[in-house]
Structure formats: C-alpha cells, structure tokens
Amino acid sequence: MSRVFNFSAGPAVLPEEVLRKAAEEMVDYHGSGMSVMEMSHRSKDFQNILAAAEEDFRELLGVPENYKVLFLQGGGNTQFAMVPMNLMRNRVADYIVTGQWAKKAAKEAEMYGEVHVVASSADKNFSYIPDLSNLPIDDQADYVYICQNNTIYGTTIHELPNTKGKDLVSDVSSMFLSEPMDVTKYGLLWGGVQKNVGPAGVTIVVIREDLIREEVFPGTPTMLRYKTHADSGSLYNTPPCYNIYVCGLVFQWLKEMGGLSVMKQRNEEKAAILYDYLDQSKLFKGTVVKKDRSVMNIPFVTGNADLDAKFIAEASAAGLKNLKGHRTVGGMRASLYNAMPKAGVETLVQFMDRFEKDNV
C-alpha cells in the first residue's frame, strides 16, 4: 500500500526520508549489532546520539549558551505542573488563555499559586487572538504564560505579548521548528515533539539557566525539577532513547532542507494553497480571524454536520487521512507540519473542489 497523506494534529506525519533511515538502521545501528531501541542510555553510542541531537537542535533554533536544552518525558500535561512548581517563586503568575491547552495549564497552575488570566479569547470559542500589547501584568507575577500556536483552534500569536519585563513562558508544541524563533525573548519554551518534530514520548524544554533553581515549590518530586535534568544532561533516568534518536534524524533532515527559514517559506506556501481555496469556496469556510490564522493547523467547516461527516469519510477513502476536527470546533482540520509535502495540500484542495461541485 502506498503512503497516505496524514493530516493528523499529532502524533503526526514524519519525513519519509527519516522513516526510511530509521528502518535502515533498525536492526543494526552503525555497526553496533543492535538497535537503538536496545541500547543502554549510558552507552557511548547513545550518548553520541543525544549529544548530536542537542547540537543540531541548538544550531537550528539558535539557542544561546546560557540556555539549557532538556529532553524530557511526560508531555504537555507534565509541563503544566513543572512550570509553576519550578518558576512560581512569588506564587503569582499571569496566563493568556487562547485555547484549550493554555486553559488547562492555567487550571493546573492554580494548585501552586495565584493565577491571573490577563487575556482570553474564550468568548468567541478561541477563534481569534486578543490584543496583547498592554496587558494588566501583575507586579508580583513570576512569569507570563502563552500557548503560541493553538492546535485545536488554528490560531497563532504572531506578535509576542508585552510582558512588561516579566519572563515569557511558551508552549510551542505545534509550531516547534517550523520557523525561526528568537529564543532570547523567552525565559522558557517547551514543546511536545509528536506534532512537528518526532514520535510521541519526548518533550523538549529550552530554559534560561538563571531560572533553574534549587528552590522550588515545597514537595516537588525530584523528577519534576528542571535542575535534576539540567545537572544530569537529560540522563537522570532512562530517557525515551529511540524517540530522541528519531528526533535527531529529523533535526538532520531539517538542516539538509536548508534550516528553519526555508521551512517557514515552505510552510507558508502550503498554508496559502488551502487558505486561498477556503476564501473563495462556496461550501467550505475557515473558522479563524484572518490575521490570527495558524500556518500549522487549519480548521474549516461546511456549516452542516452531516456534510462534514460525509466529507471526512470520502476524504479518508481517497487517502486523505485524519481530517476530523476537534470536538470543540467540529468540522475538519488539516495540520500542515514540516513533513507534509506540498503535493498533499494540493491533493486535498483538488478533492475539496470536486466535493463542493458534487454537493452544492
């Protein structure tokens, strides 16, 4: 069977070149006589894999020397707790709620201190990004938290908030490595890799060194302290070795493709194909305010739930998989991560055009 076009929001499409390389090395990694899946995380081979992955990641994102890169487990839901446990020294934090994940993060942080929601787009089902230029930042706030790209709702914070000198913490999961970023604008950024970087099971944290402290929320478990992992080079316990290896292959692929500036251009071109079609379609409509649209995740609807279901079923039969939208939005959602080829978006639009002609 030939490969389908996989529009899943995560776990998501990986570069075919990476999958083939991993398959080639599956049984015998570089003459070691074993798979990376079987290696000790203390072995020289794996420590070389980890070191190369971090080096390539730092090069791609331009991570300054005074930031640590941590390869962790536990996904986003663990970061919702780790951030306040480690950073909430004054027990106050400001959260910008532009979707389900920021909302969950704010709720989790309430367990550790006082949380102020200083901006929200919940009033219109998170279909836009509120004005973030002059927020009521609390003088005592330890940080300001955002989810920069909202996977479910298809919005992106294109202009970072004015934090009035407070450290910015950002969940960048669904836009990770899709475009260049100025890491110095963040105190901490993190992302689950399963959307745009690798297989599920790894969360990458980039944290400025002065935020890694011995003093954390009382009772914080050893495994939930950033210092634990920073001090041990992400090897305090057995890490998700194979998943880190695949992430490393993706980093190499990104470098071979020309880096993040090239990926940004490619991703914008792919998104424009779908958005241009949606803007002229008589049947399909986007759900997001134009200026706040995501390049990575594009939700759209017909306005008729039965017709949406018919479209999803017929698209799946045609090899256009995982287009069902999140239950809180309905309709459809196409995730156009780095590894989605331009041909996939073109095929989707051609199918949408035929479907519209047959159903309008």
Side-chain angles (χ1 to χ4, degrees):
M1 180 180 176
S2 60
R3 281 177 61 77
V4 299
F5 291 119
N6 176 15
F7 294 94
S8 172
V13 60
L14 286 164
E16 190 168 342
E17 298 93 326
V18 166
L19 294 173
R20 293 190 183 282
K21 180 71 171 175
E24 178 187 318
E25 297 179 340
M26 173 60 79
V27 176
D28 180 6
Y29 175 77
H30 292 199
S32 67
M34 67 181 82
S35 171
V36 177
M37 282 188 179
E38 305 169 286
M39 282 179 186
S40 165
H41 61 298
R42 305 294 180 191
S43 69
K44 183 177 180 181
D45 278 331
F46 180 73
Q47 295 204 22
N48 288 341
I49 288 170
L50 180 60
E54 179 175 340
E55 182 179 345
D56 288 340
F57 176 84
R58 283 181 172 276
E59 181 182 335
L60 282 164
L61 204 58
V63 179
E65 288 186 7
N66 65 322
Y67 283 73
K68 291 285 189 182
V69 175
L70 312 177
F71 293 85
L72 307 182
Q73 302 176 64
N77 284 284
T78 299
Q79 290 308 306
F80 297 162
M82 281 186 78
V83 167
M85 280 179 161
N86 286 267
L87 302 190
M88 235 193 212
R89 301 187 79 188
N90 295 330
R91 304 290 180 261
V92 179
D94 290 344
Y95 277 66
I96 296 167
V97 177
T98 53
Q100 197 77 5
W101 303 120
K103 183 179 178 181
K104 287 187 72 174
K107 183 174 177 57
E108 188 76 10
E110 288 174 356
M111 297 170 63
Y112 307 102
E114 189 177 324
V115 171
H116 303 139
V117 176
V118 293
S120 173
S121 53
D123 60 325
K124 295 184 179 177
N125 199 31
F126 303 120
S127 61
Y128 73 103
I129 298 296
D131 182 5
L132 306 179
S133 61
N134 187 25
L135 299 170
I137 303 297
D138 192 291
D139 288 341
Q140 295 300 308
D142 291 297
Y143 59 87
V144 178
Y145 184 101
I146 61 173
C147 179
Q148 202 160 333
N149 186 82
N150 294 285
T151 322
I152 293 173
Y153 301 97
T155 60
T156 296
I157 298 174
H158 294 293
E159 295 290 332
L160 293 177
N162 177 6
T163 64
K164 300 181 180 177
K166 302 298 182 182
D167 287 316
L168 179 64
V169 175
S170 182
D171 168 2
V172 298
S173 296
S174 53
M175 61 181 290
F176 223 178
L177 301 185
S178 67
E179 61 182 53
M181 298 176 70
D182 182 354
V183 175
T184 64
K185 292 183 177 179
Y186 305 81
L188 183 155
L189 60 89
W190 66 266
V193 303
Q194 70 275 12
K195 298 176 183 296
N196 206 32
V197 180
V202 182
T203 304
I204 300 176
V205 172
V206 182
I207 179 171
R208 206 174 62 235
E209 288 180 346
D210 63 287
L211 295 178
I212 302 171
R213 306 179 181 116
E214 193 74 57
E215 306 80 21
V216 294
F217 191 85
T220 298
T222 302
M223 277 297 291
L224 296 185
R225 298 170 184 241
Y226 290 125
K227 185 171 173 51
T228 298
H229 304 285
D231 288 351
S232 62
S234 300
L235 288 169
Y236 178 76
N237 70 326
T238 307
C241 298
Y242 191 79
N243 299 23
I244 292 172
Y245 155 73
V246 178
C247 288
L249 295 182
V250 172
F251 302 155
Q252 292 171 21
W253 177 79
L254 286 168
K255 289 173 65 176
E256 290 166 5
M257 294 295 289
L260 301 191
S261 294
V262 171
M263 298 314 299
K264 175 179 169 65
Q265 181 180 350
R266 282 166 49 96
N267 290 328
E268 288 175 345
E269 288 174 357
K270 289 185 298 185
I273 293 169
L274 182 49
Y275 280 129
D276 287 349
Y277 177 77
L278 288 172
D279 288 342
Q280 60 80 47
S281 173
K282 294 181 176 63
L283 177 61
F284 299 99
K285 303 297 176 192
T287 61
V288 172
V289 172
K290 282 188 180 182
K291 69 180 179 62
D292 299 325
R293 283 172 165 174
S294 169
V295 172
M296 294 282 95
N297 311 101
I298 303 178
F300 55 97
V301 297
T302 66
N304 180 306
D306 291 337
L307 203 54
D308 288 349
K310 181 183 179 186
F311 173 82
I312 292 164
E314 292 185 5
S316 181
L320 302 166
K321 300 292 186 178
N322 297 311
L323 282 164
K324 186 176 182 179
H326 193 271
R327 63 185 179 276
T328 59
V329 179
M332 288 69 68
R333 172 180 53 182
S335 293
L336 310 183
Y337 299 130
N338 285 337
M340 172 58 65
K342 184 178 178 182
V345 191
E346 292 172 336
T347 303
L348 172 60
V349 166
Q350 290 164 7
F351 181 84
M352 292 170 70
D353 193 48
R354 290 197 300 273
F355 187 88
E356 179 173 315
K357 288 182 170 66
D358 293 341
N359 291 276
V360 172

